[in-house]
Every structure is written in structure tokens, then in C-alpha cells.
Amino acid sequence: MISVRGLWKVYGPRAERIVGSPEADLPRGELEAATGCVVAMRDIDLDVAPGEVFVVMGLSGSGKSTLVRCLTRLIEPTSGTVMIGDIDVTKADDDQLLEVRRHKVSMVFQHFGLLPHRTLVDNVAFGLEIRGTDKAQRREKAGHVLELVGLKGMGGYKPHQLSGGQQQRVGLARALATDPDILLFDEPFSALDPLIRREMQDEVIRLRSEVRTTMVFITHDLSEALRLGDRIAIMRDGRFVQVGTPAEVVLEPADHYVRNFVRDVPRSHVVPVEAIMDQLGEGPYGADVRADAKVRDVVGLVATSELPVRVVDGSGAAVGSIDRVGVLAVIANEDL
């Protein structure tokens, strides 16, 4: 769905000369003093599959927001290519770029950007209005999407009548209303309090299972990344340090930087059941659990079952089994 190759963003005079040069590896202060340039993002390669939730995380200044904005050229990359489907975004003319932004990609920002004088229905329908969609059709679609994000019956409200979490739901609904192939999230929940943030994460997880939209999610919060991502990219100084599944990042950190990031994460929170399952025997079995469930979510079930527990895939087919020994090995932080 998204394919990125050799993507750079350099700010400053004659930025192109920095791409791939030895100077690009200088410390930020030295590079800026010598050339007047700052490297915000360097040599990024990235592939996101249809339906995947790809999370990019890192500290402030790591380049993650620059990356997501370069995907639709809200920021012009200095070098490299971005393919969205069969469209080369980096070479697209104005009409093609407009097509991408109106029909293929929607973005949810940290700041909601709702129009204060408009009702929720009209806020959500704004993208469809720009497209030229008939008023009745766009209002019907907006009402449906508001219901999808848990705001049924609130279409006549104005933004000032809502809580911060509800306003962010409106922002999410507005992005969904245009039926995009791809949703880009740039730290959308970082301004929310912890309880509302958790609710919004739940909302993304639920919507992902219902609409199967491809998502790129930017965050500086590790727990959020681990909870939402099929894969996670850790960024530092404008480059990817490690890309992998949540379990791979936590259990096999690429270097000391990543190890420090994940050192306080309990293994049971990221290890999927399929990673510890044994071969399927003849049974009997006490219960069924999904292969993609996290170990921590099945502890209670396995602990109280006198029999092994069968592991099933998304279609319900049996693929293996687990018992107390395997689960306790994870909880005790032993080698799998």
C-alpha cells in the first residue's frame, strides 16, 4: 500500500548536497555550523502492507512527524521516492497530488482543527463537500461515521459542546468519511488525559477490525506503539534504528538505545500465544484462545484450566496448544 525508498529531508541552503554525503553523519550542531543545514530524516526505506497498522515512534526531534508529512508532501522531501499504490507521490503533479489527498489518504492530527461554527455533521462531511458530493449524501455518510465512532445522535452539536476525547472522535470520523485507503495519525492522542487516551486507542483497534484501513501511526509513547502496531519502527536522529513486530522489538532489541526504550516492558504484554504454543495433540482441551492473543490476556484462563488450552487462528482452525508451563515461563521472564 505504501512503499518508501531512500527518503531524506534536509533543511537549509543547497540541501541536496547533504544527501548521502559524509557531512550528513556529523552531529547536528557541527553540520549546521559547517553547512547551515539540518538533517531531519535520512535514508528511510519503508513498506506498509494493505490493512497493516505500522507505528513509528521516537523521542521529540527524531523525525517521525517529518516522515508522515512527507508521505503526502505536506512537507516536500529532499530526495527519495514515495509510492502510494501505483502513484509516485514524489513525482505527482498538482492534480495527482490532490487526488491522493482527497480520495486515497486521510490524516488525523494532534490538534483537532474542527470548524467551530459548524455542527459535527458538517465538520465530518467537510472532505466530502470539497469533493462536490451531494449535500444529502454527505450528511447521511457523516451521520453513519459519527455513529461508528460512538457519537450517534450528536450530529447537531457544535465542537465547543464536546470534551477533548469527543472532539478527537470527530476528527477521526472526518478522516473516515472519505473512505480512504490509508489513514495517517500524527500523535493524535498525546494531548488527551490517560483514560480518554486509552478509550481512543480502543477505538482505533475496533475500527481497524471493522474497516481494515491501512494505518501509519506516529507516537512517542511506547505502550501505545506496542498496543496498536502490527509492526513498529523506532526512530532516532532521523533514521530507523529497528523495525519489527512488538515482540521482536521487546525481545530482540537491535542496540542499546532500543534496549533502554523497552527494558521496563513485561514480556507477557507483547509475546503472542502463537510464540509459545506446542504442537496440537489429541486433546481433550479446556478452552480455545486466539493465536494472536497476548500471553497476559490468557493467564487467568490457563491458570484455572486443568487441561491444556487449544490455540486457534483467525478462521477458528486449531493450530497448536498451550499449558501452564509455557505461560509461566514468559511470566517468569525465562527463555522461550
Side-chain angles (χ1 to χ4, degrees):
M1 186 63 72
I2 303 174
S3 183
V4 174
R5 291 292 177 270
L7 199 64
W8 288 71
K9 178 58 185 177
V10 181
Y11 292 99
R14 296 172 55 208
E16 296 81 5
R17 67 195 162 115
I18 304 298
V19 174
S21 70
E23 289 89 348
D25 293 323
L26 290 173
R28 181 182 180 124
E30 291 184 25
L31 176 64
E32 189 170 6
T35 67
C37 292
V38 173
V39 178
M41 183 180 62
R42 64 188 75 209
D43 202 20
I44 296 293
D45 290 339
L46 167 65
D47 291 299
V48 182
E52 181 178 17
V53 179
F54 188 90
V55 177
V56 182
M57 71 155 299
L59 301 178
S60 297
S62 61
K64 56 190 186 299
S65 291
T66 300
L67 169 59
V68 76
R69 282 167 165 77
C70 282
L71 295 181
T72 56
R73 281 175 53 195
L74 293 178
I75 293 176
E76 288 285 348
T78 305
S79 179
T81 60
V82 176
M83 299 291 297
I84 292 180
D86 58 356
I87 298 175
D88 186 342
V89 175
T90 45
K91 294 181 180 178
D93 59 28
D94 290 345
D95 289 339
Q96 290 174 312
L97 201 54
L98 200 60
E99 171 73 13
V100 168
R101 293 174 179 172
R102 284 185 176 178
H103 296 276
K104 293 185 176 295
V105 180
S106 287
M107 196 158 184
V108 183
F109 295 94
Q110 175 182 344
H111 302 291
F112 317 129
L114 303 181
L115 301 171
H117 61 288
R118 290 193 170 207
T119 63
L120 303 193
V121 161
D122 288 334
N123 265 282
V124 172
F126 185 67
L128 297 173
E129 182 180 345
I130 291 175
R131 278 188 189 177
T133 304
D134 173 79
K135 183 176 182 179
Q137 288 182 318
R138 67 179 186 251
R139 289 177 68 86
E140 180 183 0
K141 177 67 174 181
H144 170 71
V145 179
L146 281 170
E147 182 176 351
L148 188 64
V149 300
L151 297 176
K152 182 179 180 180
M154 298 180 67
Y157 285 49
K158 296 286 184 68
H160 73 270
Q161 296 175 281
L162 306 182
S163 68
Q166 289 173 322
Q167 289 185 39
Q168 191 58 283
R169 286 173 186 263
V170 177
L172 181 57
R174 182 176 55 192
L176 289 168
T178 57
D179 293 320
D181 296 326
I182 299 166
L183 274 173
L184 306 179
F185 295 86
D186 188 11
E187 301 199 57
F189 310 145
S190 60
L192 304 178
D193 68 56
L195 289 178
I196 296 176
R197 184 171 187 154
R198 179 85 177 187
E199 289 178 2
M200 290 304 301
Q201 292 170 4
D202 290 340
E203 197 67 23
V204 169
I205 292 170
R206 183 182 66 81
L207 288 171
R208 183 248 179 132
S209 67
E210 291 186 11
V211 300
R212 297 301 299 171
T213 302
T214 304
M215 301 181 185
V216 177
F217 197 101
I218 306 300
T219 182
H220 64 268
D221 184 275
L222 178 60
S223 62
E224 187 167 75
L226 295 174
R227 189 158 189 255
L228 298 179
D230 294 312
R231 286 187 300 148
I232 299 171
I234 308 288
M235 283 195 82
R236 183 186 188 190
D237 296 334
R239 57 163 56 96
F240 284 170
V241 179
Q242 183 172 3
V243 179
T245 65
E248 289 169 345
V249 171
V250 172
L251 301 179
E252 303 171 22
D255 61 13
H256 185 67
Y257 180 77
V258 179
R259 191 172 297 111
N260 278 337
F261 245 113
V262 303
R263 63 184 177 186
D264 295 325
V265 178
R267 291 158 62 94
S268 64
H269 288 207
V270 296
V271 174
V273 166
E274 61 188 348
I276 64 167
M277 69 183 182
D278 296 319
Q279 289 186 344
L280 193 67
E282 295 182 0
Y285 295 100
D288 289 350
V289 297
R290 284 180 58 101
D292 58 357
K294 299 299 186 289
V295 169
R296 70 168 177 176
D297 297 325
V298 303
V299 170
L301 175 63
V302 174
T304 58
S305 176
E306 295 297 328
L307 298 170
V309 173
R310 185 168 56 181
V311 180
V312 298
D313 61 18
S315 67
V319 293
S321 67
I322 58 172
D323 56 23
R324 295 175 185 172
V325 174
V327 170
L328 288 174
V330 177
I331 300 299
N333 208 26
E334 297 174 359
D335 292 334
L336 300 181

